[in-house]
Amino acid sequence: MTLYDEARALEAELSGLRHSLHREPEIGLDLPRTQAKVLAALDGLPVEITLGQALSSVTAVLRGARPGTTVLLRGDMDALPVTERTGLPYASQIDGAMHACGHDLHTAMLAGAARLLCARRGDLAGTVIFMFQPGEEGYGGAKYMIDEGVLTAAGEPPAAAYALHVLSANLPGGVIATRSGPVLAAADKLEVTVHGRGGHASQPSQAADPIPAACEMVTALQTLVTRRFDVFDPVVITVGSFHAGTADNVIPDEARFLATIRTFSAAARARVKDDSVRLVRDIATAHGLSATAEYLDGYPVTVNNQAEAAFAEHAATALFGRERFVPQKNPMTGAEDFSFVLEQVPGAFVSVGACPPDQVPASAPFNHSAEAVFDDAVLSEGTALYAELALRRLAASLS
């Protein structure tokens, strides 16, 4: 049987694990039930297991029978604070939590890949690190795992690292996509508080109103994007939260807003950090007010190594055929903490279409939606692709 055939033979087992994870989603860094299910799926396999200290991570190391290099495969495990509305028979049983981004599929795929690769241990020249990671959704779980030694779990740093991510929309089911260079944005946060002096709304001249200044800042940040940054190295600033005041006839003491800032290069990220903070402070000063502006670093730009992205494309087309691969023209504006891994290890982040066959990819609910549905059929495909990436990369290191 081919690797893909072997993965398809595991379909019932993979679906069972995925559905179990989906019914009991866990959020953040502490995922005890998820960790227990992963350990059960790995039970009996010839892998060295290390559990996280600051988070419920699982690191499993498979050492081949022959010496060689090391490859890392990442699968994230955490869910989102979303109330599910899919109506699936295995829908979330936890109020306010849902696997709306498909991490349950990633976990099942990586566990399946471990099974396939362990079965080939006798022919394996090198080592595979399986990185089961909590806290991708805003908690920086990858960084915690790096700090706890995931990159040196095999005794030497990986020569390459790969992560798969399913998409409930945009790509047809089973279609693979990636690109070299920036593949996902950096995501940072700007927190601003404009300090004024409250008073009666009928006498604004007797107060120091923070609301007009804060409103000016919101629009000025958009002008900053269009007039200070190269359109071919884009910056996105979106103010998603704005709060001020308690009544129509009261001028408040403060106005607050939060913005997400997305960039696609380290240079643009560094520049917008300085420029945005300076801008809001200068506007406050011009209004005779003051402002507290804090720029909070989030996830860096996810950058695919050119050679590893090309390698991932070759692996996918060899496994599934050229028609199943679509070059990704532009980066996605979402962010990923696999970026922390790719800052230290050359590798690739690869998208896998998981849109159900009865939905249109262009209009299906996208990842993070309460109605997002992912097709179980891609479980065997992702499992095979994870394993193929590791096998081919270890073999390539010998040549």
Side-chain angles (χ1 to χ4, degrees), residues 97-127:
M98 176 190 173
H99 270 295
C101 203
H103 296 185
D104 50 336
L105 284 87
H106 305 162
T107 304
M109 290 169 175
L110 191 56
R115 286 277 301 274
L116 296 182
L117 292 170
C118 284
R120 288 167 166 73
R121 182 173 178 271
D123 299 322
L124 207 62
T127 303

Side-chain angles (χ1 to χ4, degrees), residues 25-86:
E26 295 177 294
I27 297 168
L29 300 172
D30 187 23
L31 319 177
R33 292 189 300 272
T34 302
Q35 184 186 60
K37 291 171 184 177
V38 169
L39 292 173
L42 299 178
D43 188 42
L45 297 181
V47 292
E48 304 163 12
I49 292 178
T50 304
L51 305 184
Q53 300 299 309
L55 71 174
S56 300
S57 62
V58 178
T59 300
V61 177
L62 170 63
R63 299 187 187 276
R66 294 181 290 145
T69 192
T70 299
V71 171
L72 182 145
L73 305 175
R74 195 290 301 262
D76 41 6
M77 306 190 295
D78 57 321
L80 284 158
V82 173
T83 299
E84 184 163 356
R85 298 198 306 268
T86 63

Side-chain angles (χ1 to χ4, degrees), residues 3-23 37 41-42 90 103-116 132 375-386:
L3 190 66
Y4 188 21
D5 289 334
E6 291 180 40
R8 282 186 285 195
L10 296 175
E11 280 182 354
E13 184 177 333
L14 296 172
S15 293
L17 175 57
R18 187 254 163 149
H19 294 177
S20 177
L21 292 165
H22 196 90
R23 288 189 190 96
K37 291 171 184 177
L42 299 178
Y90 52 88
H103 296 185
D104 50 336
L105 284 87
H106 305 162
T107 304
M109 290 169 175
L110 191 56
R115 286 277 301 274
L116 296 182
F132 292 91
D375 189 3
D376 273 358
V378 304
L379 288 168
S380 57
E381 295 167 344
T383 293
L385 183 55
Y386 266 132

Side-chain angles (χ1 to χ4, degrees), residues 311-330:
F311 177 84
E313 176 182 349
H314 178 68
T317 55
L319 192 61
F320 302 120
R322 170 55 60 181
E323 68 280 1
R324 294 276 295 278
F325 183 85
V326 176
Q328 184 179 328
K329 294 181 179 179
N330 300 307

Side-chain angles (χ1 to χ4, degrees), residues 117-314:
L117 292 170
C118 284
R120 288 167 166 73
R121 182 173 178 271
D123 299 322
L124 207 62
T127 303
V128 182
I129 301 172
F130 302 94
M131 178 181 175
F132 292 91
Q133 181 213 311
E136 190 281 320
E137 296 290 356
Y139 293 84
K143 196 170 190 306
Y144 281 96
M145 290 191 71
I146 291 170
D147 291 343
E148 292 190 357
V150 69
L151 299 184
T152 55
E156 64 176 15
Y162 306 101
L164 303 184
H165 204 299
V166 294
L167 300 179
S168 62
N170 292 355
L171 282 179
V175 172
I176 315 298
T178 195
R179 71 190 305 271
S180 64
V183 67
L184 287 155
D188 302 316
K189 182 191 293 185
L190 179 65
E191 295 184 353
V192 176
T193 301
V194 183
H195 307 283
R197 187 177 67 257
H200 200 290
S202 67
Q203 295 179 305
S205 62
Q206 302 302 309
D209 192 346
I211 294 179
C215 292
E216 185 174 326
M217 292 171 190
V218 172
T219 56
L221 285 168
Q222 304 310 309
T223 304
L224 176 74
V225 168
T226 60
R227 292 297 179 269
R228 297 292 298 277
F229 290 90
D230 189 337
V231 67
F232 297 108
D233 187 7
V235 172
V236 177
I237 300 179
T238 299
V239 175
S241 174
F242 191 110
H243 296 278
T246 57
D248 68 300
N249 61 348
V250 177
I251 292 174
D253 290 324
E254 295 180 340
R256 300 183 179 90
F257 66 86
L258 304 175
T260 185
I261 300 181
R262 307 293 168 125
T263 50
F264 298 90
S265 72
R269 189 186 187 200
R271 185 178 173 194
V272 75
K273 179 176 184 177
D274 293 337
D275 287 1
S276 61
V277 170
R278 184 185 309 112
L279 178 68
V280 298
R281 288 176 178 167
D282 287 350
I283 290 174
T285 299
H287 283 263
L289 308 172
S290 65
T292 302
E294 188 173 6
Y295 193 101
L296 304 174
D297 290 336
Y299 294 168
V301 184
T302 303
V303 181
N304 280 353
N305 175 271
Q306 183 175 3
E308 297 300 343
F311 177 84
E313 176 182 349
H314 178 68

